[in-house]
Amino acid sequence: MTNDDVLASETARLLATVDAMTADDLAAPSALSDWTRGHVLAHIAGNAEGLGRRARSVGDGVPRAMYESPETRGGDIDWRSRRSAVQHREAIAAPHDDFLFDVAAIPSDRSNDEMEIRLTLRVTVGDLPLLRLQEVSIHHADLGMPGYGWSDWPPELVAWALPRVTSSFASRDTFPVGWVEADGVRFVVGPDATTGVSGSAPEILAWLIGRAPGDGLEPVGVSSVPAPPAWL
């Protein structure tokens, strides 16, 4: 499957979850502090719009920010969190199609260019579908609805995100262990090379980004699996 295929499949799974949600489900707390499930869905929709704006800027050279401002982003999420399930579905489905259109229009010779998304976040232009996949899949699990959790994340997402997440921790030099080993592949995350945590790649990623406590992971050189610092 191509990255576009995986993104389409994961978006369809998300929309199926939204279709099954009631008003009470939408108003219930998500796994993210201070956000209801409605807030999470509003963020997922707004993220597609924002990434689409950045993709169009690569395609036509017209500067466009992902978000007008942090305050506008937060206000839009709060306001749109009150949508009905049908409205949330439409708000996610339409920008998905627009995003794919915008990405497809980027000249092929620009795919290896690096671009700023927002603040200090930078990605390769060709990785935009994977960045969108990250948002869809991780936040789908954040909804805390039956039938989808971090163990359902597609392997394409895990393989792409793990090097990026571990590299971001390594650059800070403050991680409580020196390395993590995901399905036999070792990544440096901290200064102490004698300590580490090992386990399956999906659970390592979920633990690193605060989506799992790491109950199935194995500590090495430390008495227990530590709590990682905040990812972002």
Side-chain angles (χ1 to χ4, degrees), residues 104-115:
I106 294 175
S108 59
D109 61 355
R110 299 290 306 277
S111 62
N112 291 321
D113 289 2
E114 190 178 74
M115 68 181 299

Side-chain angles (χ1 to χ4, degrees), residues 69-85:
S69 70
E71 294 77 18
T72 299
R73 172 182 176 270
D76 287 345
I77 290 172
D78 189 53
W79 181 263
R80 292 170 175 172
S81 69
R82 295 172 284 183
R83 289 166 168 154
S84 67

Side-chain angles (χ1 to χ4, degrees), residues 1-10 13 127 129-134 137-138 148 150-164 183 201-202 205:
M1 295 176 70
T2 68
N3 292 333
D4 285 354
D5 292 334
V6 178
L7 175 56
S9 175
E10 284 292 289
R13 294 187 72 176
D127 281 349
L130 285 164
L131 183 61
R132 176 58 183 164
L133 175 65
Q134 175 177 282
S137 299
I138 289 176
Y148 195 93
W150 61 261
S151 61
D152 297 296
W153 291 340
E156 292 85 355
L157 167 63
V158 176
W160 180 75
L162 258 177
R164 293 178 57 83
D183 290 334
L205 177 60

Side-chain angles (χ1 to χ4, degrees), residues 1-206:
M1 295 176 70
T2 68
N3 292 333
D4 285 354
D5 292 334
V6 178
L7 175 56
S9 175
E10 284 292 289
T11 302
R13 294 187 72 176
L14 171 63
L15 293 175
T17 294
V18 176
D19 288 340
M21 296 177 77
T22 65
D24 287 343
D25 290 332
L26 291 169
S30 72
L32 299 179
S33 178
D34 300 325
W35 271 11
T36 66
R37 288 166 172 155
H39 283 85
V40 174
L41 293 175
H43 166 66
I44 293 172
N47 170 265
E49 295 172 351
L51 289 179
R53 283 191 288 271
R54 296 301 292 127
R56 291 196 297 279
S57 291
V58 178
D60 65 8
V62 177
R64 297 179 183 86
M66 185 168 180
Y67 300 112
E68 182 178 330
S69 70
E71 294 77 18
T72 299
R73 172 182 176 270
D76 287 345
I77 290 172
D78 189 53
W79 181 263
R80 292 170 175 172
S81 69
R82 295 172 284 183
R83 289 166 168 154
S84 67
V86 170
Q87 290 170 325
H88 277 299
R89 187 189 206 287
E90 293 174 349
I92 291 170
H96 167 75
D97 293 338
D98 289 341
F99 170 74
L100 293 180
F101 174 85
D102 294 333
V103 169
I106 294 175
S108 59
D109 61 355
R110 299 290 306 277
S111 62
N112 291 321
D113 289 2
E114 190 178 74
M115 68 181 299
E116 182 179 281
I117 299 301
R118 61 184 179 89
L119 300 177
T120 59
L121 177 61
R122 301 184 68 85
V123 298
T124 300
V125 170
D127 281 349
L128 282 171
L130 285 164
L131 183 61
R132 176 58 183 164
L133 175 65
Q134 175 177 282
E135 293 294 312
V136 169
S137 299
I138 289 176
H139 289 313
H140 190 174
D142 288 335
L143 293 174
M145 290 292 290
Y148 195 93
W150 61 261
S151 61
D152 297 296
W153 291 340
E156 292 85 355
L157 167 63
V158 176
W160 180 75
L162 258 177
R164 293 178 57 83
V165 172
T166 53
S167 177
S168 72
F169 281 124
S171 67
R172 302 181 214 174
D173 208 30
T174 57
F175 206 82
V177 295
W179 49 264
V180 296
E181 193 169 283
D183 290 334
V185 179
R186 184 167 293 193
F187 301 90
V188 173
V189 289
D192 184 0
T194 67
T195 59
V197 173
S198 65
S200 72
E203 188 167 6
I204 287 285
L205 177 60

